[in-house]
């Protein structure tokens, strides 16, 4: 059962919020069988973005990335479920939408790598958030 408790961070970027695909992203994750355990819409501060993208700070596109990510609100979410990190990243598609397959979020909704709608963590989220058992859990696992 411990595998069911894996959590991952998914964020809908400003272009995804502006284009109104929040519900579509949530629908895809819920339909897959994952459980939403946290969600917050916020305008990310420069400090938060710098911390989040620290590994990219020396890349030439960093200033453009910071401008893009601070251009509007983002929807930060934590999803839970068996294999949610790996499966979530597959559902998102490749970073470059041109390399993403139809049926993925980026494959269906993106054209340009600089506006690729969504972020997915590549590791397990460890924050202490709300814990509850969905009545559907026994039908999924």
């Amino acid at each position: 059962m411990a595998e069911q408790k894996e959590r991952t961070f998914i964020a809908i970027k400003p272009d995804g919020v502006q284009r109104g695909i929040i519900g579509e992203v949530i629908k895809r994750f819920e339909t897959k069988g994952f459980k939403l355990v946290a969600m917050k819409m916020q305008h990310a501060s420069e400090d938060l973005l710098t911390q989040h993208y620290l590994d990219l700070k020396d890349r030439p596109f960093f200033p453009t990335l910071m401008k893009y990510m601070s251009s509007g609100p983002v929807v930060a979410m934590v999803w839970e479920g068996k294999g949610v990190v790996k499966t979530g990243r597959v559902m998102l598609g490749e970073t470059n939408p041109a390399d993403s397959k139809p049926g993925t979020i980026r494959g269906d909704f993106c054209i340009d790598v600089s506006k690729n709608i969504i972020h997915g963590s590549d590791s397990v989220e460890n924050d202490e958030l709300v814990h509850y058992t969905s009545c559907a859990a026994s039908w999924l696992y």
Side-chain angles (χ1 to χ4, degrees):
M1 294 298 276
E3 288 180 287
Q4 290 176 238
K5 299 299 181 191
E6 182 176 290
R7 291 180 169 185
T8 192
F9 175 70
I10 302 289
I12 302 172
K13 297 177 180 181
D15 53 320
V17 172
Q18 293 295 329
R19 291 180 54 197
I21 67 156
I22 298 167
E24 178 66 29
V25 171
I26 292 171
K27 177 183 174 188
R28 288 181 183 216
F29 275 80
E30 285 185 331
T31 301
K32 184 70 176 176
F34 296 129
K35 181 172 71 172
L36 181 63
V37 294
M39 181 170 70
K40 179 179 182 179
M41 180 181 275
Q42 68 182 74
H43 213 119
S45 69
E46 185 175 336
D47 288 343
L48 179 64
L49 292 171
T50 300
Q51 180 183 357
H52 183 74
Y53 290 112
L54 192 60
D55 58 325
L56 302 175
K57 72 175 184 162
D58 295 325
R59 304 291 292 268
F61 59 83
F62 185 74
T64 304
L65 174 65
M66 292 292 287
K67 183 177 179 184
Y68 159 59
M69 289 300 296
S70 63
S71 67
V74 298
V75 174
M77 300 173 285
V78 176
W79 288 91
E80 181 179 275
K82 184 177 180 181
V84 71
V85 174
K86 181 179 179 183
T87 303
R89 289 181 61 81
V90 170
M91 291 170 63
L92 269 54
E94 300 297 322
T95 301
N96 185 344
D99 299 330
S100 294
K101 295 179 180 176
T104 65
I105 293 168
R106 290 179 179 138
D108 291 349
F109 298 106
C110 300
I111 295 172
D112 191 275
V113 70
S114 68
K115 291 189 174 57
N116 65 1
I117 292 183
I118 197 161
H119 165 85
S121 182
D122 60 1
S123 60
V124 174
E125 180 67 34
N126 290 317
D127 290 335
E128 287 300 316
L129 300 169
V130 173
H131 292 274
Y132 71 97
T133 301
S134 168
C135 62
S138 64
W139 295 101
L140 293 167
Y141 301 105

Short mmCIF file of all heavy atoms in Angstrom, two decimals, residues 47-69:
data_model
loop_
_atom_site.label_atom_id
_atom_site.label_comp_id
_atom_site.label_asym_id
_atom_site.label_seq_id
_atom_site.Cartn_x
_atom_site.Cartn_y
_atom_site.Cartn_z
N ASP A 47 11.34 35.19 -5.98
CA ASP A 47 12.10 34.33 -5.06
C ASP A 47 11.70 32.86 -5.22
O ASP A 47 12.55 31.98 -5.29
CB ASP A 47 11.91 34.75 -3.61
CG ASP A 47 12.63 36.05 -3.27
OD1 ASP A 47 13.51 36.47 -4.04
OD2 ASP A 47 12.29 36.65 -2.24
N LEU A 48 10.40 32.60 -5.28
CA LEU A 48 9.92 31.23 -5.43
C LEU A 48 10.37 30.64 -6.76
O LEU A 48 10.84 29.50 -6.83
CB LEU A 48 8.39 31.18 -5.33
CG LEU A 48 7.76 29.81 -5.50
CD1 LEU A 48 8.19 28.86 -4.40
CD2 LEU A 48 6.24 29.94 -5.54
N LEU A 49 10.25 31.43 -7.83
CA LEU A 49 10.66 30.95 -9.15
C LEU A 49 12.16 30.70 -9.22
O LEU A 49 12.61 29.71 -9.80
CB LEU A 49 10.23 31.93 -10.23
CG LEU A 49 8.73 32.05 -10.46
CD1 LEU A 49 8.42 33.21 -11.40
CD2 LEU A 49 8.17 30.75 -11.01
N THR A 50 12.94 31.58 -8.62
CA THR A 50 14.40 31.41 -8.61
C THR A 50 14.77 30.13 -7.88
O THR A 50 15.61 29.36 -8.34
CB THR A 50 15.08 32.62 -7.95
OG1 THR A 50 14.76 33.80 -8.70
CG2 THR A 50 16.60 32.45 -7.93
N GLN A 51 14.10 29.87 -6.76
CA GLN A 51 14.36 28.64 -6.00
C GLN A 51 13.94 27.41 -6.82
O GLN A 51 14.67 26.42 -6.89
CB GLN A 51 13.61 28.68 -4.68
CG GLN A 51 13.81 27.47 -3.82
CD GLN A 51 12.98 27.53 -2.54
OE1 GLN A 51 12.29 28.50 -2.26
NE2 GLN A 51 13.05 26.47 -1.77
N HIS A 52 12.77 27.48 -7.44
CA HIS A 52 12.24 26.34 -8.20
C HIS A 52 13.12 26.01 -9.40
O HIS A 52 13.32 24.85 -9.73
CB HIS A 52 10.82 26.66 -8.66
CG HIS A 52 10.15 25.54 -9.38
ND1 HIS A 52 9.69 24.41 -8.73
CD2 HIS A 52 9.89 25.36 -10.68
CE1 HIS A 52 9.16 23.59 -9.62
NE2 HIS A 52 9.27 24.14 -10.81
N TYR A 53 13.63 27.04 -10.07
CA TYR A 53 14.43 26.84 -11.28
C TYR A 53 15.93 27.07 -11.04
O TYR A 53 16.66 27.40 -11.96
CB TYR A 53 13.94 27.77 -12.40
CG TYR A 53 12.59 27.37 -12.93
CD1 TYR A 53 11.47 28.16 -12.72
CD2 TYR A 53 12.43 26.19 -13.66
CE1 TYR A 53 10.22 27.79 -13.22
CE2 TYR A 53 11.20 25.82 -14.16
CZ TYR A 53 10.10 26.62 -13.94
OH TYR A 53 8.88 26.25 -14.43
N LEU A 54 16.37 26.85 -9.81
CA LEU A 54 17.77 27.06 -9.45
C LEU A 54 18.74 26.32 -10.36
O LEU A 54 19.78 26.85 -10.74
CB LEU A 54 18.00 26.65 -7.99
CG LEU A 54 19.31 27.06 -7.36
CD1 LEU A 54 19.46 28.59 -7.38
CD2 LEU A 54 19.39 26.55 -5.92
N ASP A 55 18.39 25.10 -10.76
CA ASP A 55 19.27 24.31 -11.61
C ASP A 55 19.39 24.87 -13.03
O ASP A 55 20.27 24.48 -13.79
CB ASP A 55 18.81 22.86 -11.66
CG ASP A 55 17.39 22.71 -12.18
OD1 ASP A 55 16.54 23.58 -11.91
OD2 ASP A 55 17.12 21.71 -12.87
N LEU A 56 18.54 25.83 -13.38
CA LEU A 56 18.58 26.41 -14.73
C LEU A 56 19.13 27.84 -14.75
O LEU A 56 19.19 28.46 -15.80
CB LEU A 56 17.16 26.42 -15.34
CG LEU A 56 16.47 25.07 -15.45
CD1 LEU A 56 15.05 25.26 -15.95
CD2 LEU A 56 17.25 24.14 -16.36
N LYS A 57 19.54 28.36 -13.58
CA LYS A 57 19.91 29.78 -13.48
C LYS A 57 21.05 30.20 -14.39
O LYS A 57 21.13 31.36 -14.78
CB LYS A 57 20.22 30.16 -12.04
CG LYS A 57 21.51 29.59 -11.52
CD LYS A 57 21.82 30.11 -10.14
CE LYS A 57 23.18 29.58 -9.76
NZ LYS A 57 23.80 30.26 -8.69
N ASP A 58 21.92 29.28 -14.77
CA ASP A 58 23.05 29.63 -15.63
C ASP A 58 22.77 29.39 -17.11
O ASP A 58 23.65 29.62 -17.94
CB ASP A 58 24.30 28.86 -15.20
CG ASP A 58 24.76 29.25 -13.80
OD1 ASP A 58 24.62 30.44 -13.44
OD2 ASP A 58 25.25 28.36 -13.07
N ARG A 59 21.59 28.96 -17.43
CA ARG A 59 21.23 28.70 -18.82
C ARG A 59 20.85 30.01 -19.51
O ARG A 59 20.29 30.92 -18.88
CB ARG A 59 20.06 27.71 -18.90
CG ARG A 59 20.31 26.38 -18.17
CD ARG A 59 21.36 25.49 -18.83
NE ARG A 59 20.95 24.97 -20.10
CZ ARG A 59 20.34 23.81 -20.30
NH1 ARG A 59 20.05 23.04 -19.27
NH2 ARG A 59 20.02 23.43 -21.51
N PRO A 60 21.12 30.13 -20.80
CA PRO A 60 20.84 31.40 -21.50
C PRO A 60 19.35 31.77 -21.53
O PRO A 60 19.02 32.95 -21.62
CB PRO A 60 21.38 31.17 -22.91
CG PRO A 60 21.62 29.71 -23.03
CD PRO A 60 21.76 29.15 -21.66
N PHE A 61 18.48 30.81 -21.43
CA PHE A 61 17.04 31.09 -21.50
C PHE A 61 16.43 31.43 -20.13
O PHE A 61 15.23 31.71 -20.04
CB PHE A 61 16.27 29.90 -22.10
CG PHE A 61 16.44 28.61 -21.34
CD1 PHE A 61 15.67 28.33 -20.22
CD2 PHE A 61 17.38 27.68 -21.76
CE1 PHE A 61 15.83 27.14 -19.52
CE2 PHE A 61 17.53 26.48 -21.06
CZ PHE A 61 16.75 26.21 -19.94
N PHE A 62 17.23 31.45 -19.07
CA PHE A 62 16.70 31.68 -17.73
C PHE A 62 15.92 32.99 -17.59
O PHE A 62 14.81 32.98 -17.04
CB PHE A 62 17.82 31.61 -16.68
CG PHE A 62 17.35 31.71 -15.27
CD1 PHE A 62 16.68 30.65 -14.66
CD2 PHE A 62 17.55 32.87 -14.53
CE1 PHE A 62 16.23 30.75 -13.35
CE2 PHE A 62 17.10 32.97 -13.23
CZ PHE A 62 16.44 31.91 -12.63
N PRO A 63 16.44 34.14 -18.08
CA PRO A 63 15.65 35.38 -17.95
C PRO A 63 14.29 35.30 -18.65
O PRO A 63 13.29 35.78 -18.12
CB PRO A 63 16.55 36.44 -18.60
CG PRO A 63 17.93 35.89 -18.50
CD PRO A 63 17.77 34.40 -18.65
N THR A 64 14.26 34.66 -19.82
CA THR A 64 12.99 34.51 -20.54
C THR A 64 12.05 33.60 -19.76
O THR A 64 10.84 33.87 -19.67
CB THR A 64 13.25 33.92 -21.95
OG1 THR A 64 14.18 34.77 -22.62
CG2 THR A 64 11.98 33.81 -22.75
N LEU A 65 12.57 32.54 -19.19
CA LEU A 65 11.78 31.63 -18.38
C LEU A 65 11.17 32.35 -17.18
O LEU A 65 9.99 32.19 -16.87
CB LEU A 65 12.64 30.45 -17.90
CG LEU A 65 12.00 29.48 -16.92
CD1 LEU A 65 10.84 28.73 -17.57
CD2 LEU A 65 13.05 28.49 -16.42
N MET A 66 11.97 33.16 -16.51
CA MET A 66 11.48 33.91 -15.34
C MET A 66 10.37 34.89 -15.75
O MET A 66 9.36 35.00 -15.04
CB MET A 66 12.64 34.65 -14.67
CG MET A 66 13.65 33.72 -14.01
SD MET A 66 12.99 32.86 -12.58
CE MET A 66 12.93 34.20 -11.41
N LYS A 67 10.55 35.55 -16.87
CA LYS A 67 9.53 36.50 -17.34
C LYS A 67 8.23 35.76 -17.66
O LYS A 67 7.14 36.20 -17.30
CB LYS A 67 10.04 37.25 -18.57
CG LYS A 67 9.09 38.30 -19.08
CD LYS A 67 9.67 39.07 -20.25
CE LYS A 67 8.67 40.09 -20.74
NZ LYS A 67 9.15 40.79 -21.93
N TYR A 68 8.35 34.65 -18.35
CA TYR A 68 7.19 33.82 -18.70
C TYR A 68 6.46 33.32 -17.47
O TYR A 68 5.23 33.45 -17.35
CB TYR A 68 7.68 32.66 -19.58
CG TYR A 68 6.81 31.43 -19.66
CD1 TYR A 68 5.50 31.48 -20.13
CD2 TYR A 68 7.32 30.19 -19.30
CE1 TYR A 68 4.73 30.33 -20.22
CE2 TYR A 68 6.56 29.04 -19.40
CZ TYR A 68 5.26 29.11 -19.86
OH TYR A 68 4.50 27.98 -19.95
N MET A 69 7.18 32.77 -16.51
CA MET A 69 6.56 32.17 -15.34
C MET A 69 5.96 33.21 -14.39
O MET A 69 5.08 32.89 -13.60
CB MET A 69 7.56 31.28 -14.59
CG MET A 69 7.89 30.00 -15.33
SD MET A 69 6.45 28.95 -15.64
CE MET A 69 5.97 28.53 -13.97
#
